[in-house]
Amino acid sequence: MIVATKLHIPRVRNSLVSRPRLISKLNEGMDTKLTLVSAQAGYGKTTALSEWVRQCNMPVAWVSLDKHDNDWAQFWSCVRASITECVPDFGLAVEPLFDDGPSMTLEPAIAVLLNELNHVFNELVIVLDDYHVIETPTIHHSMTYFLEHLPPHIHLYIASRTALTIPTTRLLAKGELHRIHMQDLRFQLDEGIEFFQDTTDLALSKEQVTELFHQTEGWISGLQLAAISLKQSDNINATIHQIRGQQQHISDYLLEEVFHHLPDSISTFLLETSILNRMNYSLCQAVTGQMNCQEQLERLVHLNLFVIPLDDHRNWYRYHHLLSDFLQQILFRTDPEKWIQVHTRAANWLEEHGFDEEAVEHYIEGNRFADAVRLIEKNLHTLVQSKSVVLIRWVSALPENSFAEKPMIELFYISVLLGVGEWKVAFKRVEQAEIRFLALQGEMDDIQWNQVMGNLYFFCSVTTYLQKDLERTSGYFELVEQFVPEGSLFQTMGRNRYQGNDVFDDHLALINDLHAAEAFLLKWITVWENKQEYPFVGYLYASYSKLLYEWNRLDEAERYASKVLERKDMQPFARILIHNYTSASRIQQAKGDPNRASQLLTQLKLQIDSPDYDLFMLGVEAEQACLSLQQGSIQTALAWLRKCGLTHTDEIPMNRIAEYLALAKVLAACERSDEALYVLDRLNEVLFKEDRLRDQIKVCIAQSMTYQSIGQTEAAYLHLGTALHLAEPEGYIRSFLDEGPKMQELLSTYLKVQIGSLIPDPKISLSYVKQLLKALDVTIEEKLTLKEILTEQEMKVLHLIASGLSNKEIADRLYVTGETVKFHIKNMYRKLGINNRVQALQHFNSFIE
């Protein structure tokens, strides 16, 4: 649930100082993508943007961010909801992705959001206030993608105390970044004079205002605090002289002065309510026990005491961060018992009114861990699906013993850690959980304990699988069978949702040893395939079908892919269907039925019924683009390139390797080879670092084909040799064969060069190259002659070298220049794998023999 006040544009006081220079500066941001309003606390960032919004006559989507938005799904849900305030029905396609989707959707979900923004006809401003509270890397990463692809009629304004953690150099170079700095926000002297003359009851001289202005350096909050302090002062000149030093010192001094002179009823109210992120009279009443809370809030506003109304009806308020931070420090330091009491009271009220997430925060601060655990358990499914970062933060803050008797919280926590890529932390939690859960035997009902242990052993199997230890994974599967023969609930949880990490579904993306994978997959397919309701086996069908396909055992591969299509228990699971339909399509293309191959992918798009349909389609459409290239339909692939939203300069995330490989192939086919090779080089770096052998091989093959297409034969041979070296031990075949006649040509010439070379590449087995060529129906000539390797002119040069002639004599004999002779010799050396005339003579003699 998104709190409505987060989307309200903060109200501006009627007594605001007019600031035409700053408004004009903010207007300039309408010519750029991003306007960054950056300054420390108290410089009026929110006030300036609020006043600008009031004057700009433009639809504005506003989000007031806080620490609860430090979750990817929550953050983007707020952005979507704010836009909906301006554009009714906006984001219907993306809503389920943000409201319920997992935290790893990343760029694909943002791509859907951007597509919807493209259909917003008028200019739109999006304001993100207090962006400095956002610390989650995935949010910064997706914001980078969002900014790079933001339509020109959408303008983003970000207010932050700190510099952005997202890269802005490219935006600045393109003139798409506009900065509002601290010096732009601070009052100028004339504005300071106006502030004291028109918005306070103080009769200060120009000299006194000038001294205050110089002491605070135009810092707006400093001047506001000074005005409050001076109203209570018996000696204005003395007080003015005491206001000096750094901003923190000034604010601490002034807040102390202001707070010291307040009536006890107000100071107590401020201390006890300072823990609240937002408040209304009812919540304040529950926390303080005072019955006149609305009057207190209005009184604070009247005193200009850093209280900000959050809506036009003055129902909800919040304190300025300077004030709340100051008050919380006092309360925590001076009265720890009251600190716990007010947090507990706040949590009780928030829970009673349905604000469970905020209630958990206060229960934890108030050391009411059992209540925090109770609410976490109540909302566990929602937290796992869309609040994973929040769940991680809460569980990390709770003492271990607070949920020792709640094993499902631990299990869901582990599932979240695995889902967001915190694998090392998950491995450690699994080890610790096994010790604790074993100790629960006898304390829990046997059936319940078996369920807990079976689910835990499933996670043990996941962690060992991620460490590529199939033997231990198999051992844990045996324990899963022992404790929950019907299967773990986590085996299919979220399987109809986009996760974006293929390693959990496509086992060959992670496991490098295909022979070990075959034994593992066959064993567990045999165990599970006869169970009536066991959809988890569908992933194994898909992986085994892909493995058999890679080994060119097409009939067997087809049989395993078709098993999924025959089983009803697997039909609701998009992630199972995608891998099996993809495998089936490739098989049909390889068997010479391109129409059926295309139909299967079209059928897949109709078959998927998931809230994340658009995200799944990104991968399916990339597969269709690759199929189009195989079938010679470059125009279809080019149409995909125009709409896919990918560019060769994008940062490449691990969850989109297949899409970027498709991008590289299509770019190469469109004769954009430099861009294709740039993508492939970076793919290779990522895959090498992550030790992903299968996709490394595919990238090396794509590199070799791209270099061949632009006539760089040596580079093509180099990358082909790397692919062959990596692929031979595991028996890869189809990855080469699927490149068609061009691969046949490249392998044939590569084999001739290797056979004809005095120093062939020792890493490459020629028998493996011949095996691939035979699979391509190429007849292999076991003995190649020099005439098959060298051109006619190169043969003449070699004969003359063997006769002992110099380069000049060869040039004279052949009626060519010396440079031409050098060119032929260089080519001859390359083809024969030699470096000098002695080796050339040896080579010539060996062929004569």
Short mmCIF file of all heavy atoms in Angstrom, two decimals, residues 574-620:
data_model
loop_
_atom_site.label_atom_id
_atom_site.label_comp_id
_atom_site.label_asym_id
_atom_site.label_seq_id
_atom_site.Cartn_x
_atom_site.Cartn_y
_atom_site.Cartn_z
N ALA A 574 5.01 -20.38 -16.42
CA ALA A 574 5.62 -19.74 -17.59
C ALA A 574 7.09 -20.09 -17.73
O ALA A 574 7.59 -20.31 -18.84
CB ALA A 574 5.45 -18.22 -17.49
N ARG A 575 7.80 -20.16 -16.61
CA ARG A 575 9.25 -20.38 -16.69
C ARG A 575 9.57 -21.79 -17.18
O ARG A 575 10.61 -22.01 -17.81
CB ARG A 575 9.88 -20.11 -15.32
CG ARG A 575 9.99 -18.63 -15.03
CD ARG A 575 10.17 -18.31 -13.57
NE ARG A 575 11.32 -18.94 -12.99
CZ ARG A 575 11.61 -18.89 -11.68
NH1 ARG A 575 10.81 -18.24 -10.86
NH2 ARG A 575 12.68 -19.49 -11.22
N ILE A 576 8.70 -22.75 -16.91
CA ILE A 576 8.89 -24.10 -17.45
C ILE A 576 8.58 -24.11 -18.94
O ILE A 576 9.32 -24.67 -19.75
CB ILE A 576 8.01 -25.12 -16.70
CG1 ILE A 576 8.43 -25.22 -15.23
CG2 ILE A 576 8.07 -26.50 -17.37
CD1 ILE A 576 7.55 -26.13 -14.39
N LEU A 577 7.46 -23.49 -19.29
CA LEU A 577 7.02 -23.50 -20.69
C LEU A 577 8.04 -22.83 -21.60
O LEU A 577 8.33 -23.33 -22.70
CB LEU A 577 5.67 -22.79 -20.82
CG LEU A 577 4.48 -23.45 -20.13
CD1 LEU A 577 3.23 -22.59 -20.29
CD2 LEU A 577 4.22 -24.85 -20.70
N ILE A 578 8.59 -21.72 -21.17
CA ILE A 578 9.51 -20.97 -22.03
C ILE A 578 10.72 -21.81 -22.41
O ILE A 578 11.11 -21.88 -23.59
CB ILE A 578 9.94 -19.66 -21.33
CG1 ILE A 578 8.81 -18.64 -21.47
CG2 ILE A 578 11.22 -19.10 -21.93
CD1 ILE A 578 9.04 -17.36 -20.71
N HIS A 579 11.33 -22.47 -21.44
CA HIS A 579 12.53 -23.24 -21.75
C HIS A 579 12.21 -24.46 -22.62
O HIS A 579 13.01 -24.81 -23.49
CB HIS A 579 13.21 -23.67 -20.45
CG HIS A 579 13.90 -22.54 -19.75
ND1 HIS A 579 15.06 -21.97 -20.23
CD2 HIS A 579 13.56 -21.83 -18.65
CE1 HIS A 579 15.42 -20.98 -19.43
NE2 HIS A 579 14.53 -20.87 -18.47
N ASN A 580 11.07 -25.07 -22.42
CA ASN A 580 10.73 -26.24 -23.23
C ASN A 580 10.30 -25.86 -24.64
O ASN A 580 10.70 -26.52 -25.60
CB ASN A 580 9.64 -27.05 -22.53
CG ASN A 580 10.21 -27.99 -21.48
OD1 ASN A 580 10.72 -29.05 -21.80
ND2 ASN A 580 10.15 -27.58 -20.22
N TYR A 581 9.49 -24.83 -24.77
CA TYR A 581 9.08 -24.40 -26.11
C TYR A 581 10.29 -23.89 -26.91
O TYR A 581 10.39 -24.13 -28.11
CB TYR A 581 8.02 -23.30 -26.02
CG TYR A 581 6.60 -23.81 -25.98
CD1 TYR A 581 5.97 -24.11 -24.79
CD2 TYR A 581 5.88 -23.98 -27.16
CE1 TYR A 581 4.67 -24.57 -24.75
CE2 TYR A 581 4.57 -24.44 -27.15
CZ TYR A 581 3.97 -24.73 -25.93
OH TYR A 581 2.66 -25.20 -25.92
N THR A 582 11.19 -23.20 -26.23
CA THR A 582 12.39 -22.72 -26.91
C THR A 582 13.22 -23.89 -27.43
O THR A 582 13.69 -23.88 -28.58
CB THR A 582 13.25 -21.87 -25.95
OG1 THR A 582 12.48 -20.74 -25.52
CG2 THR A 582 14.52 -21.38 -26.62
N SER A 583 13.39 -24.89 -26.59
CA SER A 583 14.13 -26.09 -27.02
C SER A 583 13.43 -26.78 -28.19
O SER A 583 14.06 -27.16 -29.18
CB SER A 583 14.27 -27.06 -25.84
OG SER A 583 15.01 -28.20 -26.22
N ALA A 584 12.10 -26.92 -28.08
CA ALA A 584 11.33 -27.59 -29.15
C ALA A 584 11.46 -26.84 -30.47
O ALA A 584 11.57 -27.45 -31.54
CB ALA A 584 9.87 -27.70 -28.73
N SER A 585 11.45 -25.50 -30.40
CA SER A 585 11.56 -24.68 -31.62
C SER A 585 12.93 -24.89 -32.28
O SER A 585 13.02 -25.07 -33.50
CB SER A 585 11.36 -23.20 -31.26
OG SER A 585 11.67 -22.38 -32.36
N ARG A 586 13.98 -24.89 -31.49
CA ARG A 586 15.32 -25.08 -32.05
C ARG A 586 15.45 -26.47 -32.68
O ARG A 586 16.10 -26.62 -33.73
CB ARG A 586 16.37 -24.90 -30.94
CG ARG A 586 16.47 -23.48 -30.42
CD ARG A 586 17.42 -23.38 -29.24
NE ARG A 586 17.44 -22.03 -28.67
CZ ARG A 586 18.09 -21.69 -27.57
NH1 ARG A 586 18.78 -22.61 -26.90
NH2 ARG A 586 18.06 -20.46 -27.11
N ILE A 587 14.85 -27.44 -32.05
CA ILE A 587 14.91 -28.81 -32.58
C ILE A 587 14.24 -28.87 -33.96
O ILE A 587 14.79 -29.46 -34.90
CB ILE A 587 14.23 -29.79 -31.61
CG1 ILE A 587 15.06 -29.90 -30.31
CG2 ILE A 587 14.06 -31.17 -32.24
CD1 ILE A 587 14.32 -30.53 -29.16
N GLN A 588 13.06 -28.24 -34.09
CA GLN A 588 12.35 -28.28 -35.37
C GLN A 588 13.12 -27.55 -36.46
O GLN A 588 13.15 -27.99 -37.60
CB GLN A 588 10.94 -27.68 -35.20
CG GLN A 588 10.02 -28.51 -34.33
CD GLN A 588 9.92 -29.95 -34.78
OE1 GLN A 588 9.76 -30.25 -35.98
NE2 GLN A 588 10.04 -30.89 -33.83
N GLN A 589 13.77 -26.44 -36.11
CA GLN A 589 14.59 -25.73 -37.09
C GLN A 589 15.74 -26.62 -37.53
O GLN A 589 16.05 -26.71 -38.73
CB GLN A 589 15.11 -24.43 -36.47
CG GLN A 589 16.05 -23.64 -37.37
CD GLN A 589 15.38 -23.07 -38.61
OE1 GLN A 589 14.16 -22.89 -38.63
NE2 GLN A 589 16.16 -22.80 -39.65
N ALA A 590 16.37 -27.31 -36.59
CA ALA A 590 17.49 -28.19 -36.92
C ALA A 590 17.05 -29.39 -37.75
O ALA A 590 17.83 -29.90 -38.58
CB ALA A 590 18.17 -28.67 -35.64
N LYS A 591 15.81 -29.83 -37.55
CA LYS A 591 15.31 -30.99 -38.30
C LYS A 591 14.74 -30.59 -39.66
O LYS A 591 14.18 -31.44 -40.38
CB LYS A 591 14.25 -31.73 -37.48
CG LYS A 591 14.81 -32.36 -36.21
CD LYS A 591 13.78 -33.16 -35.44
CE LYS A 591 13.54 -34.50 -36.09
NZ LYS A 591 12.67 -35.40 -35.27
N GLY A 592 14.83 -29.31 -40.00
CA GLY A 592 14.42 -28.87 -41.33
C GLY A 592 12.96 -28.47 -41.45
O GLY A 592 12.40 -28.48 -42.54
N ASP A 593 12.32 -28.09 -40.32
CA ASP A 593 10.92 -27.66 -40.36
C ASP A 593 10.83 -26.24 -39.80
O ASP A 593 10.38 -26.02 -38.66
CB ASP A 593 10.06 -28.61 -39.54
CG ASP A 593 8.55 -28.39 -39.78
OD1 ASP A 593 8.21 -27.35 -40.36
OD2 ASP A 593 7.75 -29.25 -39.37
N PRO A 594 11.26 -25.23 -40.57
CA PRO A 594 11.28 -23.85 -40.06
C PRO A 594 9.90 -23.32 -39.72
O PRO A 594 9.76 -22.52 -38.79
CB PRO A 594 11.92 -23.06 -41.19
CG PRO A 594 11.74 -23.90 -42.42
CD PRO A 594 11.76 -25.31 -41.95
N ASN A 595 8.87 -23.74 -40.47
CA ASN A 595 7.52 -23.26 -40.18
C ASN A 595 7.07 -23.70 -38.78
O ASN A 595 6.51 -22.92 -38.01
CB ASN A 595 6.53 -23.78 -41.23
CG ASN A 595 6.75 -23.10 -42.57
OD1 ASN A 595 7.26 -21.99 -42.65
ND2 ASN A 595 6.37 -23.79 -43.65
N ARG A 596 7.34 -24.98 -38.46
CA ARG A 596 6.97 -25.49 -37.14
C ARG A 596 7.78 -24.79 -36.05
O ARG A 596 7.26 -24.50 -34.97
CB ARG A 596 7.19 -27.00 -37.10
CG ARG A 596 6.85 -27.66 -35.77
CD ARG A 596 5.41 -27.46 -35.39
NE ARG A 596 5.09 -28.08 -34.11
CZ ARG A 596 4.10 -27.67 -33.30
NH1 ARG A 596 3.36 -26.62 -33.65
NH2 ARG A 596 3.87 -28.28 -32.17
N ALA A 597 9.04 -24.51 -36.33
CA ALA A 597 9.88 -23.81 -35.36
C ALA A 597 9.29 -22.44 -35.02
O ALA A 597 9.22 -22.06 -33.84
CB ALA A 597 11.30 -23.65 -35.91
N SER A 598 8.86 -21.71 -36.04
CA SER A 598 8.25 -20.39 -35.82
C SER A 598 6.92 -20.52 -35.10
O SER A 598 6.59 -19.72 -34.21
CB SER A 598 8.06 -19.66 -37.16
OG SER A 598 9.29 -19.47 -37.81
N GLN A 599 6.13 -21.51 -35.50
CA GLN A 599 4.81 -21.71 -34.87
C GLN A 599 4.93 -21.96 -33.38
O GLN A 599 4.11 -21.49 -32.59
CB GLN A 599 4.08 -22.87 -35.55
CG GLN A 599 3.59 -22.58 -36.95
CD GLN A 599 3.12 -23.84 -37.68
OE1 GLN A 599 3.08 -24.92 -37.10
NE2 GLN A 599 2.77 -23.69 -38.94
N LEU A 600 5.94 -22.72 -32.97
CA LEU A 600 6.09 -23.05 -31.56
C LEU A 600 6.35 -21.79 -30.72
O LEU A 600 5.80 -21.66 -29.62
CB LEU A 600 7.24 -24.05 -31.37
CG LEU A 600 6.89 -25.50 -31.70
CD1 LEU A 600 8.16 -26.35 -31.85
CD2 LEU A 600 5.97 -26.10 -30.62
N LEU A 601 7.15 -20.86 -31.23
CA LEU A 601 7.40 -19.63 -30.48
C LEU A 601 6.15 -18.75 -30.45
O LEU A 601 5.87 -18.10 -29.44
CB LEU A 601 8.59 -18.88 -31.08
CG LEU A 601 9.94 -19.57 -30.93
CD1 LEU A 601 11.05 -18.72 -31.55
CD2 LEU A 601 10.27 -19.88 -29.48
N THR A 602 5.41 -18.72 -31.55
CA THR A 602 4.15 -17.98 -31.57
C THR A 602 3.16 -18.60 -30.58
O THR A 602 2.47 -17.89 -29.84
CB THR A 602 3.55 -17.97 -32.99
OG1 THR A 602 4.49 -17.40 -33.90
CG2 THR A 602 2.25 -17.18 -33.02
N GLN A 603 3.10 -19.92 -30.58
CA GLN A 603 2.21 -20.64 -29.66
C GLN A 603 2.61 -20.37 -28.20
O GLN A 603 1.74 -20.22 -27.33
CB GLN A 603 2.29 -22.14 -29.95
CG GLN A 603 1.30 -23.00 -29.18
CD GLN A 603 1.43 -24.47 -29.54
OE1 GLN A 603 1.93 -24.80 -30.63
NE2 GLN A 603 0.99 -25.34 -28.67
N LEU A 604 3.90 -20.29 -27.95
CA LEU A 604 4.38 -20.00 -26.60
C LEU A 604 3.85 -18.65 -26.12
O LEU A 604 3.41 -18.52 -24.97
CB LEU A 604 5.91 -20.01 -26.60
CG LEU A 604 6.61 -19.50 -25.33
CD1 LEU A 604 6.24 -20.36 -24.12
CD2 LEU A 604 8.13 -19.49 -25.52
N LYS A 605 3.88 -17.65 -26.99
CA LYS A 605 3.41 -16.32 -26.60
C LYS A 605 1.93 -16.33 -26.25
O LYS A 605 1.48 -15.57 -25.39
CB LYS A 605 3.69 -15.33 -27.74
CG LYS A 605 5.19 -15.15 -28.01
CD LYS A 605 5.47 -14.37 -29.27
CE LYS A 605 5.30 -12.89 -29.08
NZ LYS A 605 5.82 -12.13 -30.25
N LEU A 606 1.17 -17.19 -26.89
CA LEU A 606 -0.26 -17.32 -26.57
C LEU A 606 -0.49 -18.14 -25.31
O LEU A 606 -1.51 -17.96 -24.62
CB LEU A 606 -1.00 -17.97 -27.75
CG LEU A 606 -0.96 -17.21 -29.09
CD1 LEU A 606 -1.58 -18.04 -30.19
CD2 LEU A 606 -1.68 -15.87 -28.95
N GLN A 607 0.44 -19.02 -25.02
CA GLN A 607 0.28 -19.97 -23.92
C GLN A 607 0.55 -19.33 -22.55
O GLN A 607 -0.04 -19.69 -21.55
CB GLN A 607 1.24 -21.16 -24.11
CG GLN A 607 1.08 -22.29 -23.12
CD GLN A 607 -0.09 -23.20 -23.47
OE1 GLN A 607 -0.71 -23.03 -24.52
NE2 GLN A 607 -0.38 -24.15 -22.60
N ILE A 608 1.45 -18.36 -22.51
CA ILE A 608 1.86 -17.77 -21.22
C ILE A 608 0.74 -16.91 -20.66
O ILE A 608 0.20 -16.03 -21.33
CB ILE A 608 3.15 -16.94 -21.38
CG1 ILE A 608 4.32 -17.86 -21.73
CG2 ILE A 608 3.45 -16.15 -20.13
CD1 ILE A 608 5.60 -17.14 -22.01
N ASP A 609 0.41 -17.17 -19.41
CA ASP A 609 -0.58 -16.38 -18.68
C ASP A 609 0.06 -15.97 -17.36
O ASP A 609 0.01 -16.69 -16.37
CB ASP A 609 -1.85 -17.20 -18.44
CG ASP A 609 -2.94 -16.40 -17.73
OD1 ASP A 609 -2.80 -15.17 -17.65
OD2 ASP A 609 -3.90 -17.01 -17.23
N SER A 610 0.70 -14.81 -17.37
CA SER A 610 1.45 -14.37 -16.19
C SER A 610 1.34 -12.85 -16.06
O SER A 610 1.28 -12.14 -17.07
CB SER A 610 2.93 -14.76 -16.33
OG SER A 610 3.73 -14.07 -15.39
N PRO A 611 1.34 -12.33 -14.82
CA PRO A 611 1.38 -10.88 -14.64
C PRO A 611 2.63 -10.26 -15.25
O PRO A 611 2.65 -9.07 -15.55
CB PRO A 611 1.37 -10.70 -13.12
CG PRO A 611 0.84 -11.98 -12.57
CD PRO A 611 1.26 -13.04 -13.53
N ASP A 612 3.66 -11.09 -15.43
CA ASP A 612 4.93 -10.60 -15.97
C ASP A 612 5.06 -10.90 -17.46
O ASP A 612 6.17 -11.04 -17.98
CB ASP A 612 6.10 -11.24 -15.23
CG ASP A 612 6.08 -10.93 -13.75
OD1 ASP A 612 5.48 -9.91 -13.37
OD2 ASP A 612 6.65 -11.70 -12.97
N TYR A 613 3.93 -10.98 -18.16
CA TYR A 613 3.92 -11.38 -19.57
C TYR A 613 4.89 -10.54 -20.40
O TYR A 613 5.69 -11.08 -21.19
CB TYR A 613 2.50 -11.24 -20.13
CG TYR A 613 2.38 -11.63 -21.59
CD1 TYR A 613 2.17 -12.96 -21.95
CD2 TYR A 613 2.47 -10.67 -22.60
CE1 TYR A 613 2.07 -13.32 -23.29
CE2 TYR A 613 2.37 -11.02 -23.93
CZ TYR A 613 2.16 -12.35 -24.27
OH TYR A 613 2.07 -12.70 -25.59
N ASP A 614 4.85 -9.22 -20.23
CA ASP A 614 5.70 -8.34 -21.05
C ASP A 614 7.18 -8.62 -20.81
O ASP A 614 8.00 -8.51 -21.74
CB ASP A 614 5.39 -6.88 -20.76
CG ASP A 614 4.04 -6.45 -21.30
OD1 ASP A 614 3.58 -7.09 -22.27
OD2 ASP A 614 3.43 -5.52 -20.76
N LEU A 615 7.54 -8.96 -19.58
CA LEU A 615 8.94 -9.25 -19.28
C LEU A 615 9.38 -10.56 -19.92
O LEU A 615 10.47 -10.66 -20.48
CB LEU A 615 9.16 -9.32 -17.77
CG LEU A 615 8.83 -8.04 -17.00
CD1 LEU A 615 9.07 -8.24 -15.52
CD2 LEU A 615 9.68 -6.89 -17.50
N PHE A 616 8.53 -11.56 -19.84
CA PHE A 616 8.85 -12.84 -20.48
C PHE A 616 8.99 -12.66 -21.99
O PHE A 616 9.81 -13.32 -22.62
CB PHE A 616 7.76 -13.88 -20.18
CG PHE A 616 7.82 -14.46 -18.79
CD1 PHE A 616 6.73 -14.41 -17.95
CD2 PHE A 616 8.97 -15.07 -18.33
CE1 PHE A 616 6.78 -14.96 -16.67
CE2 PHE A 616 9.04 -15.62 -17.06
CZ PHE A 616 7.94 -15.56 -16.23
N MET A 617 8.17 -11.77 -22.55
CA MET A 617 8.20 -11.57 -24.00
C MET A 617 9.54 -11.02 -24.49
O MET A 617 9.93 -11.24 -25.63
CB MET A 617 7.07 -10.64 -24.44
CG MET A 617 5.70 -11.28 -24.42
SD MET A 617 5.63 -12.83 -25.37
CE MET A 617 5.75 -14.04 -24.05
N LEU A 618 10.26 -10.29 -23.65
CA LEU A 618 11.55 -9.75 -24.07
C LEU A 618 12.50 -10.86 -24.49
O LEU A 618 13.18 -10.77 -25.51
CB LEU A 618 12.16 -8.93 -22.93
CG LEU A 618 11.36 -7.70 -22.49
CD1 LEU A 618 12.00 -7.06 -21.27
CD2 LEU A 618 11.26 -6.69 -23.63
N GLY A 619 12.54 -11.93 -23.70
CA GLY A 619 13.40 -13.06 -24.04
C GLY A 619 12.87 -13.86 -25.21
O GLY A 619 13.64 -14.31 -26.08
N VAL A 620 11.55 -14.06 -25.25
CA VAL A 620 10.94 -14.84 -26.34
C VAL A 620 11.16 -14.12 -27.67
O VAL A 620 11.50 -14.76 -28.68
CB VAL A 620 9.43 -15.06 -26.08
CG1 VAL A 620 8.78 -15.74 -27.28
CG2 VAL A 620 9.23 -15.89 -24.81
#
